[in-house]
Amino acid sequence: MLNIVLFGPPGAGKGTQSEKLIAKYNLVHLSTGDIFRANIKGETELGKLAKTYMDGGNLVPDEVTINMLAAELDKAPNAKGFIFDGFPRTQAQAAALDSLLASKNTAITSMLALEVEEEELKKRLLIRGKDSGRADDQNPEIIQNRINEYNNKTMPVKDFYAAQNKYKGINGIGEIEGIFALLCNEIEQAI
Ligand code: ADP
């Protein structure tokens, strides 16, 4: 199986690149942000809970997120592989993902990290907020809090995969097609 963690701060381009990668490599896309938003729209209990965190730009608690991800993995028993987009966002989530995949006799192939500096991220998120309607993209304070959450809790996930020699940094600034080519190049080397 080809299992990719697509990593990077909010606004780095994970969603855009995921769409292209799933089409090329025939993978299942698991975006925890998208799954939470679908639950909010459907007014499920999970959605109501997640919303209280997401609206402020805070991470949803690990236990909630990990249980949801485990259920999503079980929904795709015949997948050729997965792209994890927006997950894992903490070291506890990364350890849980390793165990979940090991129980299915598979593992993460690589973590591909889109690197974009903070000023560029803020610009992109505010632009996205205008078209997407996402409340968390429209308020500079919430955006700053998401970036802080990323720096404090999510950055250490890089070390988790680096220790397994699976971390690959990719320059996330430039044309979408050019960045896609860099990602594909890393994947070709890993498989
Ligand atoms: P972005 O990467 O642009 O911030 P996402 O759609 O990935 O957007 O995430 C939106 C929000 O959903 C996050 O700010 C957080 O509240 C919640 N969320 C998504 N994935 C996770 C996760 N793995 N752990 C905790 N919270 C998450």
Side-chain angles (χ1 to χ4, degrees):
M1 278 175 97
L2 174 62
N3 297 311
I4 300 293
V5 173
L6 196 57
F7 190 71
K14 301 185 294 290
T16 306
Q17 296 295 339
S18 290
E19 293 304 328
K20 297 174 72 67
L21 291 169
I22 53 170
K24 177 160 177 165
Y25 294 102
N26 202 5
L27 304 171
V28 173
H29 184 199
L30 290 185
S31 159
T32 43
D34 286 352
I35 302 165
F36 283 134
R37 278 186 290 276
N39 276 277
I40 292 174
K41 212 168 162 209
E43 297 180 354
T44 68
E45 286 307 311
L46 174 65
K48 285 178 201 162
L49 176 68
K51 189 173 180 344
T52 61
Y53 296 94
M54 290 170 73
D55 280 353
N58 298 307
L59 291 187
V60 178
D62 281 337
E63 198 193 339
V64 175
T65 308
I66 290 165
N67 288 339
M68 176 183 87
L69 199 275
E72 291 295 322
L73 276 179
D74 287 341
K75 285 186 200 165
N78 300 317
K80 287 180 63 186
F82 293 93
I83 293 216
F84 298 95
D85 163 5
F87 184 94
R89 261 178 154 99
T90 63
Q91 289 214 357
Q93 291 180 13
L97 180 59
D98 269 8
S99 314
L100 281 169
L101 292 177
S103 74
K104 297 180 190 299
N105 295 315
T106 186
I108 290 299
T109 311
S110 296
M111 165 186 261
L112 304 179
L114 293 170
E115 295 168 348
V116 178
E117 76 268 15
E118 201 168 308
E119 285 315 306
E120 171 72 14
L121 296 172
K122 289 180 190 164
K123 268 193 247 159
R124 289 186 186 181
L125 289 170
L126 285 168
I127 292 169
R128 185 169 79 183
K130 290 201 180 117
D131 336 301
S132 72
R134 269 181 62 174
D136 62 347
D137 281 345
Q138 294 178 22
N139 176 322
E141 280 170 27
I142 296 175
I143 289 176
Q144 187 63 54
N145 194 42
R146 282 158 63 202
I147 292 173
N148 294 347
E149 287 276 82
Y150 177 81
N151 289 335
N152 296 332
K153 298 180 186 166
T154 306
M155 275 294 265
V157 176
K158 170 179 173 174
D159 302 334
F160 183 93
Y161 290 100
Q164 299 182 16
N165 281 323
K166 290 180 178 173
Y167 178 87
K168 300 275 182 301
I170 306 278
N171 180 5
I173 305 229
E175 298 285 333
I176 289 173
E177 287 304 329
I179 297 165
F180 180 60
L182 294 174
L183 290 168
C184 294
N185 188 37
E186 288 296 347
I187 290 176
E188 304 299 332
Q189 286 181 37
I191 56 181

